[in-house]
Amino acid sequence: MTVKMGGQFLVIDGTDQSILDNFADINGPAILFPFVREIIASLTARAGIPTVLVQPLNFVDMAQRRQQSQPSE
């Protein structure tokens, strides 16, 4: 199964770019991910196959690991 989900969030003019980057890396995905998990569980349950329960993700940890793996500029 491939799932793509997007969200629209209102951004106030003049918002600092670092805040937007942090939101895009952590908060936005963290807000949307529970809906993705529910859709996957619901679709697989209704399909008559064993229900797929996607484990929660720690988006803060993932962002920190990604930053650590990028070369310093």
Side-chain angles (χ1 to χ4, degrees):
M1 171 185 299
T2 300
V3 177
K4 291 184 182 184
M5 183 174 235
Q8 291 184 328
F9 299 93
L10 179 63
V11 176
I12 298 171
D13 288 337
T15 302
D16 185 73
Q17 186 62 43
S18 65
I19 293 172
L20 294 175
D21 291 342
N22 185 61
F23 186 86
D25 286 344
I26 299 170
N27 298 87
I31 291 168
L32 296 174
F33 190 66
F35 296 99
V36 173
R37 292 178 64 221
E38 190 281 326
I39 289 168
I40 293 170
S42 178
L43 284 174
T44 55
R46 287 185 285 158
I49 60 175
T51 303
V52 174
L53 300 174
V54 179
Q55 295 297 312
L57 296 176
N58 184 334
F59 290 98
V60 173
D61 184 54
M62 290 170 53
Q64 289 173 345
R65 288 180 188 204
R66 187 171 42 249
Q67 288 174 352
Q68 291 172 353
S69 68
Q70 293 176 347
S72 299
E73 294 180 21

